[in-house]
Amino acid sequence: MITIEEALEIVLKETKVLGFETVNILNSLNKVLAEDIYSKDNLPPFDKSAMDGYAIISDDTENASEEKPVKLKIKGTIKAGDFYKGQLKCGEALKIMTGAPVPNGADAVIQIENVEADNEEVAIFNPVEKNKNILNLGEEIKKGDIALLSGMTIRPSEIGLMASLGFSSAKVFKVPKMIVITTGDELIDVSEELISGKIRDCNGYSLMALGKNLQADVKFYGIVRDDMDVLFKKMQEAFEEGDIIITSGGVSAGDYDFVENCLKELGADIKFSSVAIKPGKPFTFAKYKDKLFFGLPGNPLAVINTFEQFVSPAAKKMMGKSDIHNKQFKVILGEDFKSVKGRTNYVYVNIEEKDGIYYAYKVGSQSSNQLLTISKANGIIILDKEMVKAGEEVNGRFIFK
Amino acid sequence: MITIEEALEIVLKETKVLGFETVNILNSLNKVLAEDIYSKDNLPPFDKSAMDGYAIISDDTENASEEKPVKLKIKGTIKAGDFYKGQLKCGEALKIMTGAPVPNGADAVIQIENVEADNEEVAIFNPVEKNKNILNLGEEIKKGDIALLSGMTIRPSEIGLMASLGFSSAKVFKVPKMIVITTGDELIDVSEELISGKIRDCNGYSLMALGKNLQADVKFYGIVRDDMDVLFKKMQEAFEEGDIIITSGGVSAGDYDFVENCLKELGADIKFSSVAIKPGKPFTFAKYKDKLFFGLPGNPLAVINTFEQFVSPAAKKMMGKSDIHNKQFKVILGEDFKSVKGRTNYVYVNIEEKDGIYYAYKVGSQSSNQLLTISKANGIIILDKEMVKAGEEVNGRFIFK
């Protein structure tokens, strides 16, 4: 049985970044940019007024004062989106709106709040500096300058920036196609009647939601009965279609745990089939034709735990993310905790922050099929010894982050 | 001009939670549950084996020892999903798989690893406690017990739990329909050629992405020219269709800033039209028939800033979220910063953590149309005085969280 750290290292070593695809910029949100983006234009593409006011020649205002204001003749108005073809001459002004191109000849804009004007003339009471309230051509970015670097995760601001630079699509890393299969004769779908000996499949739903949260392209192959031939066919199909294949159940030592046999018959390379993690020990990882296989346990809590610990970092690496690890921090135990010897115990807890310090409190039974427990938890603490006392410091992290 | 705090208070006072809708549990992910969920069954619905092993009568093993093992006759196998109709009698055992129902008569399961067995008999070397390795009927949750509380945000574990309880759909708070309109004669779409006096519309894209990140149902009405009649018609249509209506541009003091006039003509209740925030001062908020109107400025950085500060908390409140405020924390300035008097300055920075302490560093010009700045930033610091020095402590937060 290998440790969690060893298992994660093997998983990530076998995980390769998927290819690229070109998508509409809106569909690139939260994906990873796979190309450097250079500006195709100067931005702003012209000298632009930063204010509503009057475009003027600054030298005209050199001697302006409260006592002796300079009066300029208003030649017209430039709206944003207009382009004034004439040339401003000494003694003239043009009313100008925010975002409008500064006319030829003008070298400053005076704010509307700082003048007095009628339809004919504008009075200016102070000298205006050259270039005042003008955003110069290329001041934001010059043609050929780099705007965004490959490898960054695209946020709303980057989508806006790409649009302003004229990019309607972007090259991004592909998201993995994730195939989910749940196994077991005892499973029925949520909509079926609960008859003797059966339980409702919850792992299919948990896994689809976990994959959806990662932006993966998730497909559920449904519940597969404990039948070697049927499972083999489904797994073969999954390896054709998916980048990540996930099963739940069928991986303990029982007579009807077929997953490992199917992997062997397929010729998959089984890297390990047991990890010192609780919940989640019977966990199989295999590789087949560059596809990753995760054979998760059947217990609902173990499914979520092993997904977050192993599948999530692998999926993030596939889609080019650099920040793939769950962020851990120090947590002080609010009460005593017990754990199981010989495995690293992930105990689902409620983590509360007080004055920048995190404290962990129990939320209920840790029995591995209690989804009810996790529904009350916001984090886990990681325990390596059997008894830990209130006040001790351990590592922890938030879940579903 | 009102403060940011006053503005946010007014916005939230006018914001009402939207109604409910019933959706498939998979589509409830990250939405807010709008009903308490009670279990319709006992879970597990039968006494269930927690291990692969042998179902036995514990009294049979009372005198078992290494020297004198107890031998029980194997009557058959119960797979998960099977239901054994017979009754186990003294001296008998049934092989049982994890998850299978414990047969009548049996009161314990001994793990497969702790026995020796052939096809006929199983040898047991130690007394087995009553109830060992059995998950009793209703041990996880009893029929009628509460499972999930209204008001909680649904995560993958809650989706799994609802599936296990037989709920294929859930009642959740509706997400807002968000209508985005960008205004200005200077704007052209990303795919159009950049001709004299024009700039590409980026705000439409930023706003669509910001809305998408909030799970809102976003619709872009496109770029509207500076024409009072056209804008009026579009806004009227938007108030019919949307819960939140957002415009960008058209809200400063210019002659072609029609947004406020349109609101007046519609009869909307304008609550304020200027906030002491930089970037983002010319910001209009209005209410009309329970719909919220946000008139954002035209500057790209101001658009993102005011969306995060005002639109985002309102949208979250509409969809029933309890945690609607951006989480602030203390940040130490890594260098000197300047800001503008009379307004609360949101300066886009890079926040780095060292040993649990956050430090802020400059990322570039704060000129309000530089999306390039924000693309290098991961947070903001909030400055209320003109000069702040390296080493001073201010409030800050991460952006796009």
Side-chain angles (χ1 to χ4, degrees):
Chain A
M1 197 156 63
I2 60 175
T3 66
I4 295 172
E5 292 71 26
E6 289 163 345
L8 186 57
E9 200 186 317
I10 293 168
V11 168
L12 291 178
K13 203 185 132 206
E14 300 299 333
T15 305
K16 301 281 171 284
V17 170
L18 292 174
F20 317 124
E21 60 179 340
T22 298
V23 297
N24 179 286
I25 49 172
L26 269 179
N27 294 328
S28 75
L29 184 63
N30 300 321
K31 293 181 182 164
V32 177
L33 190 62
E35 60 180 341
D36 293 334
I37 293 210
Y38 294 89
S39 183
K40 293 188 280 196
D41 308 293
N42 291 304
L43 285 193
F46 46 81
D47 290 348
K48 188 164 88 169
S49 178
M51 294 287 171
D52 291 331
Y54 290 85
I56 56 165
I57 296 162
S58 59
D59 281 350
D60 277 350
T61 67
E62 206 175 1
N63 301 314
S65 67
E66 290 288 339
E67 298 74 37
K68 238 187 144 183
V70 166
K71 294 193 175 178
L72 303 173
K73 194 167 157 46
I74 302 170
K75 298 292 287 182
T77 301
I78 314 172
K79 295 189 284 180
D82 278 359
F83 194 79
Y84 187 78
K85 290 193 187 74
Q87 170 95 15
L88 198 71
K89 297 197 194 82
C90 286
E92 295 177 345
L94 276 157
K95 193 170 185 184
I96 192 165
M97 300 295 129
T98 306
V102 175
N104 283 329
D107 65 1
V109 170
I110 181 162
Q111 249 180 290
I112 205 158
E113 291 85 349
N114 298 340
V115 302
E116 277 174 19
D118 55 26
N119 286 334
E120 308 269 301
E121 275 188 338
V122 54
I124 297 169
F125 303 90
N126 284 297
V128 180
E129 273 168 69
K130 200 171 169 166
N131 221 33
K132 184 78 180 171
N133 292 324
I134 293 178
L135 269 172
N136 288 112
L137 180 147
E139 195 175 318
E140 288 179 41
I141 192 163
K142 289 197 173 45
K143 189 172 174 173
D145 279 358
I146 195 153
L148 294 172
L149 288 169
S150 177
M152 81 177 296
T153 297
I154 297 166
R155 306 170 303 171
S157 47
E158 282 71 63
I159 289 177
L161 182 58
M162 288 191 280
S164 74
L165 296 174
F167 291 83
S168 56
S169 61
K171 197 170 151 190
V172 295
F173 288 96
K174 276 188 193 165
V175 298
K177 182 133 201 179
M178 196 178 269
I179 311 288
V180 173
I181 299 170
T182 51
T183 73
D185 277 351
E186 73 277 28
L187 301 181
I188 55 167
D189 186 59
V190 56
S191 52
E192 288 178 73
E193 205 199 334
L194 200 60
I195 52 165
S196 296
K198 307 291 181 187
I199 56 165
R200 295 192 190 92
D201 176 35
C202 56
N203 291 332
Y205 288 91
S206 295
L207 287 167
M208 281 189 276
L210 284 160
K212 202 175 159 189
N213 257 358
L214 280 174
Q215 287 197 293
D217 178 9
V218 193
K219 190 164 177 183
F220 185 42
Y221 273 21
I223 300 163
V224 175
R225 307 281 151 226
D226 287 328
D227 178 313
M228 178 77 186
D229 292 341
V230 177
L231 183 61
F232 181 83
K233 256 188 91 177
K234 281 280 181 192
M235 278 172 61
Q236 206 170 27
E237 204 183 313
F239 274 115
E240 282 297 318
E241 190 178 6
D243 302 302
I244 292 176
I245 293 88
I246 303 173
T247 60
S248 82
V251 287
S252 30
D255 293 355
Y256 300 91
D257 292 333
F258 298 121
V259 167
E260 204 159 324
N261 288 336
C262 285
L263 288 170
K264 283 178 185 154
E265 201 165 312
L266 275 163
D269 183 6
I270 299 173
K271 300 289 181 185
F272 56 82
S273 53
S274 184
V275 180
I277 184 172
K278 180 183 163 53
K281 186 175 82 166
F283 171 79
T284 298
F285 174 66
K287 197 166 182 185
Y288 179 59
K289 294 182 180 169
D290 264 343
K291 313 292 180 91
L292 303 185
F293 177 85
F294 297 90
L296 310 190
N299 282 326
L301 197 61
V303 162
I304 291 173
N305 200 43
T306 50
F307 186 99
E308 291 234 300
Q309 187 59 36
F310 302 110
V311 185
S312 174
K316 286 179 185 166
K317 186 175 172 182
M318 276 189 168
M319 53 182 99
K321 302 246 176 189
S322 49
D323 193 17
I324 62 175
H325 293 287
N326 301 316
K327 199 174 144 50
Q328 287 186 14
F329 47 83
K330 296 286 172 201
V331 179
I332 293 175
L333 303 181
E335 46 195 320
D336 299 351
F337 282 87
K338 266 194 261 181
S339 78
V340 168
K341 208 165 54 173
R343 287 194 270 166
T344 302
N345 287 245
Y346 282 18
V347 181
Y348 284 78
V349 294
N350 192 30
I351 297 177
E352 289 173 21
E353 197 219 297
K354 240 174 275 165
D355 302 325
I357 298 166
Y358 293 105
Y359 298 87
Y361 301 93
K362 288 177 183 162
V363 290
S365 159
Q366 295 294 319
S367 162
S368 19
N369 46 5
Q370 296 223 350
L371 281 178
L372 210 55
T373 303
I374 205 171
S375 79
K376 290 170 195 147
N378 69 351
I380 55 167
I381 52 170
I382 301 166
L383 304 181
D384 275 313
K385 52 181 188 176
E386 273 179 271
M387 284 294 298
V388 277
K389 294 278 177 195
E392 283 191 50
E393 193 182 75
V394 299
N395 281 324
R397 63 170 168 81
F398 289 115
I399 52 175
F400 304 125
K401 290 281 170 182
Chain B
M1 197 156 60
I2 58 175
T3 67
I4 296 171
E5 292 72 25
E6 288 164 344
L8 186 57
E9 201 186 315
I10 293 169
V11 168
L12 292 177
K13 201 185 134 209
E14 300 299 333
T15 305
K16 302 280 171 284
V17 170
L18 294 173
F20 317 125
E21 60 180 339
T22 298
V23 297
N24 179 288
I25 48 172
L26 269 179
N27 294 329
S28 76
L29 184 63
N30 300 321
K31 293 179 183 167
V32 177
L33 189 63
E35 60 181 342
D36 293 335
I37 294 210
Y38 295 88
S39 184
K40 293 187 280 195
D41 308 293
N42 291 304
L43 285 192
F46 46 81
D47 289 349
K48 187 164 89 170
S49 177
M51 294 287 171
D52 291 331
Y54 290 86
I56 57 167
I57 296 161
S58 57
D59 281 349
D60 277 352
T61 66
E62 207 175 357
N63 300 313
S65 67
E66 289 290 336
E67 299 75 36
K68 239 186 140 180
V70 166
K71 293 193 175 177
L72 302 173
K73 195 168 157 48
I74 302 170
K75 298 292 287 178
T77 300
I78 313 173
K79 297 190 283 179
D82 277 0
F83 195 79
Y84 188 80
K85 291 193 187 72
Q87 170 95 12
L88 198 71
K89 297 196 193 80
C90 286
E92 294 176 347
L94 277 157
K95 193 170 185 183
I96 192 165
M97 300 296 131
T98 306
V102 175
N104 284 328
D107 66 0
V109 170
I110 180 163
Q111 249 180 291
I112 205 157
E113 289 86 350
N114 298 340
V115 301
E116 276 176 18
D118 55 24
N119 287 333
E120 307 270 302
E121 276 188 337
V122 54
I124 296 168
F125 303 91
N126 285 296
V128 180
E129 275 168 67
K130 201 172 164 162
N131 220 31
K132 183 79 182 170
N133 293 322
I134 293 178
L135 269 170
N136 289 111
L137 180 148
E139 195 175 319
E140 289 180 40
I141 192 163
K142 288 195 176 45
K143 189 173 173 172
D145 278 359
I146 195 151
L148 293 172
L149 287 169
S150 177
M152 81 177 296
T153 297
I154 298 165
R155 306 169 303 171
S157 46
E158 282 72 63
I159 289 177
L161 181 58
M162 288 191 280
S164 74
L165 296 175
F167 291 84
S168 57
S169 60
K171 196 171 153 190
V172 295
F173 287 97
K174 277 190 193 164
V175 298
K177 181 132 201 181
M178 197 178 267
I179 311 288
V180 173
I181 299 170
T182 51
T183 73
D185 277 351
E186 74 276 28
L187 301 180
I188 55 167
D189 186 61
V190 56
S191 53
E192 289 178 71
E193 204 199 334
L194 200 60
I195 52 164
S196 295
K198 306 290 181 187
I199 57 165
R200 294 191 191 92
D201 176 35
C202 56
N203 291 333
Y205 289 90
S206 296
L207 287 167
M208 280 189 277
L210 284 161
K212 203 174 158 189
N213 258 356
L214 281 176
Q215 288 196 292
D217 178 9
V218 194
K219 190 164 177 183
F220 186 41
Y221 273 20
I223 300 164
V224 175
R225 305 282 150 225
D226 287 329
D227 178 311
M228 179 79 187
D229 292 340
V230 178
L231 183 60
F232 181 83
K233 256 188 92 177
K234 280 281 179 192
M235 279 173 59
Q236 206 170 27
E237 205 183 314
F239 273 115
E240 283 297 318
E241 191 179 6
D243 301 302
I244 292 176
I245 293 88
I246 303 173
T247 60
S248 83
V251 287
S252 30
D255 294 355
Y256 301 90
D257 293 332
F258 299 121
V259 168
E260 205 160 322
N261 288 336
C262 284
L263 288 171
K264 284 178 186 155
E265 201 164 311
L266 276 163
D269 184 7
I270 299 173
K271 299 289 181 184
F272 57 81
S273 53
S274 183
V275 180
I277 184 172
K278 179 179 163 58
K281 184 176 82 164
F283 170 77
T284 298
F285 173 66
K287 196 164 184 188
Y288 179 59
K289 293 182 181 170
D290 265 342
K291 314 293 181 88
L292 303 185
F293 177 86
F294 297 91
L296 311 190
N299 282 326
L301 197 60
V303 162
I304 291 172
N305 200 43
T306 49
F307 186 99
E308 291 234 301
Q309 187 59 36
F310 302 110
V311 185
S312 175
K316 287 178 184 165
K317 184 174 174 185
M318 275 188 168
M319 54 182 100
K321 302 246 176 189
S322 49
D323 193 17
I324 62 174
H325 293 287
N326 301 314
K327 201 175 141 49
Q328 289 187 13
F329 46 82
K330 296 287 171 197
V331 179
I332 292 174
L333 303 181
E335 46 195 317
D336 298 352
F337 283 86
K338 265 194 262 182
S339 79
V340 168
K341 208 163 55 172
R343 287 193 270 166
T344 302
N345 286 245
Y346 282 17
V347 181
Y348 284 78
V349 295
N350 192 29
I351 296 177
E352 289 173 21
E353 196 220 299
K354 241 173 274 165
D355 303 324
I357 296 166
Y358 294 104
Y359 297 88
Y361 300 94
K362 287 178 183 161
V363 289
S365 158
Q366 294 294 321
S367 161
S368 23
N369 46 6
Q370 296 224 350
L371 281 177
L372 209 56
T373 302
I374 204 170
S375 79
K376 291 170 193 146
N378 69 351
I380 54 167
I381 51 169
I382 301 167
L383 303 182
D384 276 312
K385 51 182 189 175
E386 274 180 273
M387 285 292 298
V388 277
K389 294 278 177 197
E392 283 191 51
E393 193 181 75
V394 298
N395 281 325
R397 64 170 168 83
F398 289 116
I399 52 175
F400 304 125
K401 289 282 170 183

